[in-house]
Amino acid sequence: MNFRNIYFICKQNYEILSNDKYKKIGNLYSYDETEFYEALANLHEIDYLNEITRNINNYLRGHTLQSGDANHVFGLMRSLKNKLEVIMGLYESLVNDVDEHASIEICLPQTKDITEFRKTIDALEFIFTKCPFFQDENESLQFEGVDLGSTWMRLSVKIATATMVGSVLLNNVAAFVDECITIRSHFLMLQQYRIYIENDEIEQKQKEAVLAYIDLLYKRQIDEAIKDMEEISGHDIADGDERGRAEQSIEKLEKLLDKGLQIYSSIDSPQETKALFEPLQMKYISIADEIKKLTDKTDESKSDKKE
């Protein structure tokens, strides 16, 4: 989890834990509010807070506390809130912009090779500045920075018209990523067929014909994706140059997805923006599984040939 997400989780749930209704009620102390336990569960997602949130949760579940017990719990609560204050204070001292606004966060592929890192940045620069579906007169993506100590990069939306509701550009980004994941999944499936055909004992001409048809299927899927994006974005491809840039953007993003790149809406984005990207999360897992299966099959094929 990146530091900005940790900050906003702490900030949102600190306000809940500080609510007076979780203090003394009559002569007893009660923590049976659903909201309170949801806040603990949210904070438990942060590794640094695992132990203390687990201790508080285990101590309180199913109990209505007498004053002696409550003093112990309040001590744990004070310690938890102190930790949250330290996290929030540290983040705000290191980062100038903590305002909430529509943006995306990109998890870059892990690498220690500076050349590979540069290639990733070059590919992203091409996708977000050259792809015709991301050219909008009212909105543009601007580089906001990288997360502290991680491989997360943040792009925020610069909106020319202050009265706009939602983000057309981020809608197009989410749709484009979805199309690329679908194409990549189909490509990996076609690659499995390709491996099967290449290892099948049929005549070379038959192999070439089938492999050419597989290539045609892949090309058709790219054409369909571009057609879908024209409908979603409202931007019709004007000429061969634009089509070429769209195809290159798809190809580049496909390869980055293979390497583990993921794009999410930021935690502080409006709910309508988050909703655009939420369906993509399971698809990242799916494509990673398909890549692993294809790698395993390729290794098996190489092993069979050696035998």
Side-chain angles (χ1 to χ4, degrees):
M1 185 183 298
N2 64 51
F3 196 11
R4 188 177 181 89
N5 284 8
I6 289 173
Y7 167 77
F8 277 100
I9 289 173
C10 290
K11 181 179 178 182
Q12 291 161 2
N13 293 282
Y14 179 85
E15 296 170 2
I16 294 172
L17 299 182
S18 300
N19 196 311
D20 285 342
K21 71 181 179 182
Y22 300 121
K23 295 183 179 178
K24 187 172 180 180
I25 303 174
N27 292 322
L28 299 175
Y29 294 76
S30 176
Y31 283 90
D32 60 357
E33 297 287 342
T34 300
E35 183 184 43
F36 175 84
Y37 285 109
E38 287 178 350
L40 282 183
N42 292 336
L43 294 169
H44 190 71
E45 296 296 317
I46 301 170
D47 291 343
Y48 175 59
L49 303 175
N50 280 172
E51 184 177 356
I52 191 167
T53 52
R54 181 169 54 250
N55 288 342
I56 294 171
N57 187 69
N58 290 343
Y59 203 91
L60 292 175
R61 280 294 184 184
H63 293 86
T64 299
L65 306 175
Q66 302 297 330
S67 58
D69 297 321
N71 287 336
H72 175 69
V73 175
F74 285 153
L76 291 174
M77 289 296 300
R78 281 194 299 272
S79 177
L80 175 58
K81 287 191 280 189
N82 287 340
K83 288 176 180 288
L84 299 184
E85 288 167 1
V86 168
I87 292 172
M88 293 186 294
L90 176 62
Y91 185 85
E92 290 172 359
S93 71
L94 295 172
V95 179
N96 293 326
D97 180 17
V98 296
D99 293 334
E100 299 183 15
H101 46 262
S103 57
I104 56 174
E105 293 173 345
I106 304 172
C107 181
L108 302 175
Q110 294 283 347
T111 181
K112 293 183 179 180
D113 188 322
I114 193 168
T115 302
E116 281 301 311
F117 179 77
R118 179 190 61 78
K119 288 179 180 177
T120 296
I121 299 302
D122 286 347
L124 288 172
E125 186 272 339
F126 184 94
I127 292 165
F128 288 118
T129 64
K130 302 294 192 299
C131 181
F133 302 120
F134 301 151
Q135 312 307 311
D136 190 287
E137 60 183 16
N138 294 314
E139 300 179 77
S140 61
L141 287 170
Q142 60 183 7
F143 175 65
E144 192 167 308
V146 294
D147 194 63
L148 303 174
S150 76
T151 55
W152 287 86
M153 184 172 73
R154 183 179 172 88
L155 301 177
S156 62
V157 177
K158 183 178 180 181
I159 301 177
T161 308
T163 57
M164 286 184 66
V165 179
S167 170
V168 173
L169 179 54
L170 289 188
N171 181 75
N172 292 345
V173 171
F176 188 79
V177 174
D178 192 25
E179 292 284 352
C180 287
I181 291 175
T182 300
I183 290 174
R184 199 59 183 172
S185 295
H186 290 162
F187 172 80
L188 294 171
M189 180 182 66
L190 292 174
Q191 284 295 89
Q192 292 182 26
Y193 291 142
R194 179 181 288 277
I195 292 170
Y196 176 78
I197 295 300
E198 287 175 344
N199 288 285
D200 197 7
E201 295 180 359
I202 59 176
E203 291 184 6
Q204 186 61 30
K205 284 187 177 181
Q206 290 178 307
K207 279 188 181 182
E208 290 174 359
V210 176
L211 293 175
Y213 183 65
I214 288 174
D215 291 338
L216 178 62
L217 287 176
Y218 176 65
K219 178 66 168 64
R220 283 180 177 174
Q221 293 197 335
I222 291 179
D223 291 341
E224 285 299 315
I226 291 175
K227 188 182 297 183
D228 289 344
M229 284 305 304
E230 286 180 308
E231 293 179 6
I232 292 168
S233 67
H235 176 87
D236 293 330
I237 295 295
D239 50 35
D241 177 63
E242 278 201 342
R243 175 167 289 276
R245 285 188 279 118
E247 290 175 352
Q248 284 186 67
S249 297
I250 290 172
E251 179 186 350
K252 289 177 184 294
L253 185 53
E254 277 189 80
K255 290 179 179 178
L256 290 176
L257 290 168
D258 265 5
K259 294 178 181 179
L261 180 131
Q262 298 178 8
I263 301 177
Y264 298 93
S265 64
S266 61
I267 193 172
D268 50 314
S269 288
Q271 192 55 47
E272 61 268 21
T273 300
K274 291 180 184 178
L276 297 173
F277 289 85
E278 284 172 357
L280 300 178
Q281 296 184 25
M282 292 306 296
K283 291 189 176 184
Y284 291 132
I285 298 173
S286 175
I287 197 169
D289 289 342
E290 289 178 27
I291 290 169
K292 185 178 183 305
K293 289 177 185 176
L294 180 61
T295 302
D296 292 343
K297 284 195 174 185
T298 302
D299 291 341
E300 289 174 9
S301 175
K302 288 179 180 177
S303 177
D304 291 342
K305 284 184 177 180
K306 287 180 181 178
E307 293 176 0

